[in-house]
Amino acid sequence: MLMIGDGRYQLTKCSCGVAGQSPQAQRLSRELDVLQNRTFENYHVDRVYVDLPDASASTQKTLVSIAYAKARKYADKPSGWLYIYGRPGTGKSHLAAAIANVNKNHMNVIYRSMPSLIDLIRENANQLDALSTQIADADLVIIDDIGADGRPTEWAEARIFTIINNRVDKPTVFTSNYDVADLPYSAHIIDRLNASRRCWINTTSMRGNHAD
């Protein structure tokens, strides 16, 4: 970046020939582009709930209301770790994307699912240090669907640990179909994630209706 005579700034190309964000930084943010319409305003707490063996319709609505309130409060002032978990299709990703969308214009926000993040790291193994730094230094990181790929390989688990360990005490949101204790990860990753605040959404799937 270069300052010109009147005090304004303009982007200049770095030695690698890329102006502004690197291709890796752009790819780290790409998933949020398709979720830009997920907001708190269109997250429906009042929706049709079907009784579950372990949660009545009224209990489900209460859990969704609590999750919504926690996520909205977090979005107003991101701090520490928030872990949103529950059955597939209950609106976890919607809440996580809403947090990101509230903050993306004034914070450096990364939104990526864990499976695709690991794929991106694998595809760019020669730039691992740069990717790790970008993830570690972001103002807010949203990691969707952790544990979705089942038990990781030793290589993948090492990358997962690095990602999580580098975000200690930094604003980070995780979503998962699993509670922390049920994740298919080793004890040292579980131990780190146990420090997060939990947000449980135990409801029927609303995929194809209002939630995602």
Side-chain angles (χ1 to χ4, degrees):
M1 185 172 286
L2 176 69
M3 188 170 74
I4 56 182
D6 60 1
R8 292 180 292 114
Y9 288 85
Q10 65 181 14
L11 288 174
T12 59
K13 287 189 177 182
C14 67
S15 59
C16 65
V18 179
Q21 278 191 317
S22 69
Q24 291 77 24
Q26 293 171 358
R27 292 180 70 184
L28 281 168
S29 306
R30 188 172 297 165
E31 285 189 20
L32 189 57
D33 292 343
V34 299
L35 296 171
Q36 59 185 325
N37 65 333
R38 305 302 170 92
T39 68
F40 287 110
E41 287 69 31
N42 61 27
Y43 185 85
H44 297 272
V45 173
D46 292 316
R47 57 203 199 196
V48 177
Y49 297 97
V50 178
D51 285 343
L52 295 170
D54 59 343
S56 66
S58 61
T59 297
Q60 292 175 54
K61 183 176 180 179
T62 297
L63 290 170
V64 171
S65 299
I66 291 171
Y68 175 88
K70 284 185 177 181
R72 186 135 206 176
K73 181 178 180 180
Y74 187 94
D76 290 340
K77 190 176 181 181
S79 175
W81 289 4
L82 181 66
Y83 188 95
I84 306 171
Y85 71 103
R87 289 180 170 87
T90 54
K92 304 181 299 296
S93 296
H94 189 136
L95 287 178
I99 292 170
N101 286 325
V102 165
N103 290 284
K104 66 182 182 182
N105 291 330
H106 61 275
M107 298 177 73
N108 175 17
V109 177
I110 290 173
Y111 184 108
R112 195 86 184 190
S113 71
M114 182 63 88
S116 67
L117 182 54
I118 294 301
D119 285 345
L120 180 63
I121 291 172
R122 185 181 290 109
E123 293 164 5
N124 295 271
N126 61 330
Q127 298 178 342
L128 181 58
D129 288 344
L131 282 169
S132 295
T133 298
Q134 288 169 353
I135 297 166
D137 291 348
D139 298 323
L140 172 63
V141 172
I142 315 285
I143 303 181
D144 199 15
D145 269 345
I146 70 170
D149 280 352
R151 184 167 296 281
T153 64
E154 183 176 344
W155 178 90
E157 187 159 68
R159 305 290 84 75
I160 293 168
F161 177 77
T162 298
I163 291 166
I164 291 172
N165 197 51
N166 285 345
R167 295 299 303 175
V168 171
D169 296 328
K170 299 176 181 179
T172 310
V173 177
F174 305 93
T175 78
S176 181
N177 293 335
Y178 307 96
D179 193 359
V180 171
D182 298 322
L183 286 167
Y185 299 154
S186 56
H188 63 308
I189 295 178
I190 300 295
D191 183 63
R192 292 289 191 280
L193 289 170
N194 268 328
S196 59
R197 284 169 280 173
R198 304 289 209 284
C199 193
W200 185 36
I201 307 180
N202 181 32
T203 72
T204 51
S205 174
M206 298 297 291
R207 197 177 301 280
N209 189 354
H210 295 304
D212 54 294

